[in-house]
Amino acid sequence: MPNFDALEPAALRDPYSVKWNHYPDGVLPLWVADMDFPIAEEIKKAVLARLEFGVGYPFMGGDPRLLSAIIAQQEDYGLHGLEPQHLMLVSSVVPGLYASIQGLTAVGDEVITQTPIYPPFLTSVRDHGRVALENPMVVRDGRFEIDFEHLETLVSPKTKVLMICNPQNPTGRVFERAELEKLADFVLRHNLLVVTDELHAMLRLEGEHIPFASLSPEIAQRTITLTGPCKAFNTAGFGGGVMISHNTELLAQIQKATKGLMGHPNILSMEMWRVGLEECGTWLEQTLDYLRANRDFLSTWLEQHLPEVTCIPAEGTYLAWLDFNKFPFGSEVHKFLLEEAKVGLNDGPPYGALYQGWLRINFATSRAILTEALERIERCIRARVD
Ligand SMILES: Cc1ncc(COP(=O)(O)O)c(C=O)c1O
């Protein structure tokens, strides 16, 4: 069993870690979505062994063993009928988001997504002259839900794509079948294409992962699914991702729009991903147990010590989306906590227009580091407002 309790900030601040070096020394960084935990021994061993063999050009379409492992994983989730030609490896998931938008839309087209949302969902649309329409989620019965009424008001003849993130970063929602079916109905009625980022699918703390493309053959024909190894196995520095679609014409359209720009698969990333899928089930279960306990600890701690902060426990991911708007800090909350509490979180506004006063916290760290960060936040806030 890995000892996730024994993390030392000094050791975590290795020179390659943006998470631990972005903010000044002394700040506890609970922001970018890396886990502070060491990677699985199986992955270390496999990557070292690969280096012994050599790292020449791989098959451009990807290692067939990796493609089989990805197809088997999707089968387990209930997405059937995939073959290697339905998979296009990409350098990582964000380039896959950008490529999908470029291939499937034209300048001026509209793309809808639920907010708050991982910022590249908005930038991949806006950076290239498309229009991102935000459908803010609503809190009902203590959880973030899709506002289907508002969704309908956003559509125009220029709307071409619905982007989905499931499990959702930053709210941690794992969408249920009924919610996804309502989205599928919306997509069919308005003749939209779908880009669904399911990168966090293996990081479920509750619930079942339902691939959007599995809802029906008609939906599969209009969906691009993106996923990769980096969230579950904590290997963001390796990169790696895949674009999946039963509709090879959509993949060809994307390939044409990005011809020559996407590079070729990275052999070490393919190897670690394959071994992750084939051999790291136990490591992942142990990691999920630790994350579940941290998630519960975080929400209980906030209820007891800072009940003004709204925290809806995540069903997936290791992120929580916290509302500090009951305090009078407004847009200063991120800066205030960074400079005075010495805790670095993600500020809300990049996640959508409505999210001033919200912060994203990454709870994939040791219980001791999480506790220290929360205590620092509490001390500073109480000193300011009490
Ligand atoms: C939903 C989502 N998509 C994509 C990414 C980034 O993926 P990659 O590093 O493979 O580009 C992240 C990173 O946190 C994410 O949360």
Side-chain angles (χ1 to χ4, degrees):
M1 168 84 191
N3 185 2
F4 293 153
D5 278 329
L7 304 176
E8 277 301 325
L12 291 166
R13 193 167 275 116
D14 89 79
Y16 276 100
S17 165
V18 69
K19 183 179 186 184
W20 280 84
N21 290 290
H22 175 71
Y23 293 122
D25 272 7
V27 170
L28 287 177
L30 275 60
W31 65 293
V32 71
D34 273 336
M35 298 193 268
D36 285 337
F37 313 139
I39 62 172
E41 287 304 320
E42 292 86 342
I43 289 179
K44 281 189 211 164
K45 245 170 57 192
V47 169
L48 289 172
R50 187 63 252 164
L51 289 170
E52 291 290 336
F53 281 117
V55 288
Y57 279 115
F59 283 114
M60 294 297 147
D63 177 351
R65 295 169 305 164
L66 171 62
L67 301 183
S68 298
I70 296 170
I71 290 172
Q73 179 186 40
Q74 295 296 329
E75 285 273 339
D76 276 354
Y77 289 148
L79 184 59
H80 302 297
L82 289 174
E83 296 186 19
Q85 72 268 22
H86 299 127
L87 275 60
M88 202 167 108
L89 292 184
V90 284
S91 56
S92 78
V93 171
V94 168
L97 287 173
Y98 272 75
S100 301
I101 294 302
Q102 302 228 11
L104 303 180
T105 65
V107 169
D109 284 349
E110 295 168 351
V111 176
I112 301 179
T113 195
Q114 323 303 318
T115 52
I117 189 66
Y118 176 60
F121 275 60
L122 301 173
T123 56
S124 62
V125 177
R126 293 176 179 154
D127 283 350
H128 293 280
R130 280 72 168 169
V131 180
L133 302 178
E134 301 185 25
N135 187 42
M137 300 219 275
V138 286
V139 177
R140 276 195 208 109
D141 301 328
R143 73 171 190 179
F144 289 98
E145 295 205 338
I146 297 169
D147 185 344
F148 285 98
E149 276 138 51
H150 188 254
L151 187 61
E152 293 292 342
T153 68
L154 293 174
V155 188
S156 85
K158 288 191 166 174
T159 313
K160 297 291 157 49
V161 169
L162 178 73
M163 283 173 108
I164 301 170
C165 186
N166 183 34
Q168 218 256 2
N169 171 357
T171 63
R173 267 308 312 279
V174 173
F175 293 112
E176 289 171 5
R177 187 173 292 278
E179 297 171 288
L180 295 173
E181 281 176 346
K182 268 174 102 166
L183 282 181
D185 170 64
F186 170 80
V187 159
L188 293 173
R189 274 190 291 108
H190 296 291
N191 193 24
L192 304 180
L193 297 173
V194 175
V195 176
T196 175
D197 175 338
E198 301 179 3
L199 177 58
H200 291 261
M202 297 177 84
L203 290 173
R204 284 175 339 276
L205 307 175
E206 314 293 338
E208 176 193 8
H209 177 63
I210 301 167
F212 193 73
S214 71
L215 293 178
S216 74
E218 279 167 292
I219 286 292
Q221 283 303 312
R222 52 179 71 228
T223 298
I224 299 285
T225 304
L226 287 159
T227 191
C230 74
K231 294 302 123 179
F233 301 117
N234 202 26
T235 55
F238 272 126
V242 64
M243 239 180 234
I244 304 174
S245 186
H246 286 76
N247 186 340
T248 50
E249 280 174 29
L250 292 184
L251 292 175
Q253 218 172 301
I254 295 169
Q255 219 157 14
K256 190 167 166 218
T258 57
K259 205 164 173 58
L261 296 174
M262 299 297 275
H264 57 70
N266 173 310
I267 207 164
L268 296 180
S269 131
M270 285 195 288
E271 186 63 357
M272 63 82 8
W273 190 354
R274 181 181 70 76
V275 167
L277 292 175
E278 291 179 353
E279 298 177 26
C280 295
T282 304
W283 181 89
L284 185 63
E285 280 313 312
Q286 290 167 340
T287 302
L288 288 172
D289 285 344
Y290 199 89
L291 292 176
R292 238 176 245 117
N294 267 8
R295 183 243 353 231
D296 295 345
F297 171 78
L298 170 66
S299 52
T300 307
W301 193 97
L302 286 171
E303 254 168 53
Q304 289 171 353
H305 299 263
L306 281 173
E308 300 92 333
V309 177
T310 310
C311 170
I312 298 180
E315 298 157 354
T317 78
Y318 42 76
L319 307 165
W321 185 236
L322 307 179
D323 183 2
F324 284 77
N325 283 299
K326 290 202 180 101
F327 294 115
F329 311 129
S331 62
E332 296 294 301
V333 60
H334 179 262
K335 189 166 178 279
F336 165 65
L337 292 185
L338 179 61
E339 289 177 358
E340 297 190 29
K342 306 262 181 267
V343 178
L345 305 179
N346 284 93
D347 201 5
Y351 293 77
L354 295 184
Y355 301 104
Q356 200 127 87
W358 293 74
L359 297 172
R360 189 186 77 167
I361 188 167
N362 172 346
F363 56 78
T365 189
S366 69
R367 182 67 60 78
I369 291 175
L370 182 59
T371 307
E372 167 71 19
L374 292 170
E375 286 174 357
R376 288 183 188 190
I377 292 173
E378 183 193 18
R379 271 198 303 277
C380 272
I381 288 185
R382 292 289 166 235
R384 171 77 72 102
V385 298
D386 283 353

